[in-house]
Amino acid sequence: MSLKSPRAAARMAHIAPFYVMDLLARAKALEARGRSVIHMEVGEPDFSTPGPIVEAGKQALDKGLTHYTAAAGLPELRRAISGLYAARYGIDVPSERIIVTPGASGALQLVMGTLIDPGEEVVLPDPGYPCNRHFVRLAEGRPVNVAVGADTAYQLTGELVRRYGSPHTRAVMVASPSNPTGTVVTGGGMREIYRASVELGAHLVVDEIYHGLVYEGQAETALALSDDVLVINSFSKYFGMTGWRLGWLVAPEGYVEAMDRLAQNIFLAAPTPSQYAALAAFEPRTIEILEARRREFQARRDFLLPALRGLGFEIPVQPQGAFYLYADCSRFTDDSFGFCMDLLEQIGVAITPGKDFGSNLPERHVRFAYTTGMEKLEEGVERLGKYLKVG
Ligand SMILES: Cc1ncc(COP(=O)(O)O)c(C=O)c1O
């Protein structure tokens, strides 16, 4: 006897794939045939992990530090993260409120799994990081996707939270800087969003994964607003550790026990060698390397933003952080996915179609990631110029 037809749970119908993966597979096939492809679709730094972090990881392996840690993470790493908040933002975050996770992705699962009851709502910006709404679904919650545009720098505002919130709203989620737009919630904007969330009786959850990568001023952590804000962060982007799978979460004290319990159950602990490696992430010699990289990302943005605008892509808001430019390509197409496929086939330029980030005018948007060197970016712009018959 056997069960012949596989049947995925109904919730899986709401979990969309990353469409850019189709594009990536095609790019790889073209490269295997000797074609040159300029990769501006990749959402991770092209730089490899800084030497001091790699060294610390190797030493951990050599010493046999390969067993589970406590579910909430190595106490010394939790203390080091607490030290980061003191040094970078001047605020006191007790290490007991910090939970180390397998990437920001692990933190997102803990947040949704701990906060959301079936049917409860989470207010999110659209466009936004697509996995967020899928994590809400996984917890049997309901994502409320709010269309945001250039008028609010592609971010939620207090007014939007009030308009789209309801008695069922359990959380409001913001990423600052954002993926895919690179825009930051500035001024009193976060305080306004926080106030509106509290009025609804909802928690504010802020994804600060791109925090180290801010090019104008310094992003404030939402933890400065109140102890009941939840903040997600990661070693993936600024620290250049995507493949080590390491992030963290700062939770209100009252949730720590439940989150620890959930972490024990769904992943036991974050990878141990990665945690030891990350102890070197805050050393001055590592920060020096990372700050040089930040300046390089800024130089890339400062080249690519005017270059794309010159070609006719509309980028109405100057992104202050991350490594993305979210561009309106409606001057060239009303089918951004087909446009991306055509760019790849015709000129070997890979970018991400808007439909990976939501359902708010995806067909007229694309995301450029400046996660490749300046020469490649220049070559990419030249190819685009020829294809679009300008420049
Ligand atoms: C806004 C945002 N949050 C979370 C993640 C997940 O990152 P990780 O799990 O590698 O820390 C990403 C990855 O691209 C992201 O862009």
Side-chain angles (χ1 to χ4, degrees):
M1 253 178 49
S2 70
L3 282 174
K4 289 252 160 47
S5 48
R7 184 184 59 82
R11 74 172 72 84
M12 287 307 296
H14 301 285
I15 313 277
F18 275 120
Y19 296 102
V20 74
M21 287 304 175
D22 292 348
L23 215 112
L24 201 59
R26 183 68 190 139
K28 292 251 171 335
L30 289 173
E31 283 175 318
R33 280 198 241 136
R35 282 275 306 276
S36 126
V37 176
I38 311 275
H39 290 279
M40 293 195 266
E41 81 285 32
V42 183
E44 62 176 330
D46 47 325
F47 303 108
S48 47
T49 304
I53 301 178
V54 173
E55 253 336 291
K58 282 186 189 161
Q59 278 174 28
L61 292 172
D62 286 341
K63 286 188 201 150
L65 298 169
T66 53
H67 301 278
Y68 295 134
T69 66
L74 279 177
E76 52 270 56
L77 182 57
R78 296 167 77 194
R79 284 196 295 273
I81 295 169
S82 168
L84 176 77
Y85 284 106
R88 192 184 277 176
Y89 308 101
I91 64 163
D92 176 33
V93 179
S95 63
E96 294 74 24
R97 288 179 50 208
I98 297 168
I99 302 174
V100 178
T101 54
S105 309
L108 284 162
Q109 286 177 70
L110 290 187
V111 169
M112 299 307 170
T114 305
L115 289 188
I116 311 296
D117 268 330
E120 286 187 325
E121 295 175 356
V122 179
V123 175
L124 306 151
D126 180 351
Y129 180 58
C131 305
N132 289 343
R133 64 186 82 97
H134 300 152
F135 285 127
V136 176
R137 291 278 183 194
L138 210 52
E140 312 266 310
R142 207 174 76 78
V144 176
N145 303 307
V146 178
V148 289
D151 56 330
T152 66
Y154 302 98
Q155 291 283 3
L156 291 178
T157 60
E159 202 258 317
L160 285 170
V161 170
R162 284 187 192 95
R163 198 181 322 155
Y164 289 91
S166 83
H168 307 292
T169 308
R170 179 71 170 123
V172 173
M173 268 210 77
V174 174
S176 178
S178 136
N179 178 7
T181 66
T183 53
V184 169
V185 180
T186 46
M190 197 64 88
R191 183 174 297 279
E192 275 304 303
I193 296 171
Y194 172 69
R195 278 208 189 111
S197 311
V198 170
E199 280 164 30
L200 289 169
H203 276 291
L204 174 61
V205 181
V206 184
D207 184 339
E208 298 186 347
I209 186 169
Y210 294 103
H211 246 219
L213 296 169
V214 171
Y215 311 119
E216 274 93 33
Q218 148 120 32
E220 293 298 320
T221 174
L223 290 168
L225 292 173
S226 164
D227 287 352
D228 59 28
V229 174
L230 291 94
V231 162
I232 286 162
N233 208 321
S234 173
F235 289 94
S236 285
K237 312 286 177 164
Y238 174 66
F239 296 99
M241 295 180 68
T242 45
W244 300 73
R245 308 309 306 130
L246 200 64
W248 73 87
L249 162 67
V250 183
E253 209 181 308
Y255 288 113
V256 170
E257 183 278 327
M259 286 178 172
D260 188 326
R261 199 156 20 100
L262 186 56
Q264 290 166 22
N265 278 275
I266 60 178
F267 40 71
L268 275 170
T272 303
S274 305
Q275 294 192 58
Y276 281 102
L279 287 172
F282 309 122
E283 289 176 7
R285 62 194 172 129
T286 311
I287 298 292
E288 211 175 291
I289 297 168
L290 296 173
E291 284 300 295
R293 293 176 176 187
R294 187 175 62 82
R295 288 190 291 275
E296 171 63 20
F297 277 125
Q298 177 167 2
R300 293 175 184 180
R301 182 203 63 171
D302 292 345
F303 162 72
L304 194 60
L305 177 62
L308 292 179
R309 281 175 171 163
L311 291 177
F313 289 96
E314 263 182 64
I315 307 168
V317 185
Q318 162 140 336
Q320 298 117 305
F323 30 61
Y324 306 118
L325 298 173
Y326 193 62
D328 183 328
C329 57
S330 57
R331 183 168 155 195
F332 309 114
T333 183
D334 56 6
D335 167 18
S336 63
F337 186 73
F339 181 66
C340 290
M341 279 299 187
D342 207 46
L343 288 182
L344 181 59
E345 296 293 336
Q346 304 294 327
I347 58 169
V349 168
I351 56 174
T352 306
K355 73 175 181 172
D356 262 339
F357 307 105
S359 49
N360 171 23
L361 302 176
E363 65 288 340
R364 53 190 292 172
H365 288 94
V366 290
R367 187 193 73 179
F368 290 83
Y370 40 95
T371 48
T372 189
M374 196 64 105
E375 268 179 36
K376 291 265 170 57
L377 294 179
E378 283 167 0
E379 166 77 22
V381 167
E382 203 179 306
R383 291 187 195 183
L384 282 166
K386 284 194 189 128
Y387 175 85
L388 301 168
K389 308 258 184 326
V390 284

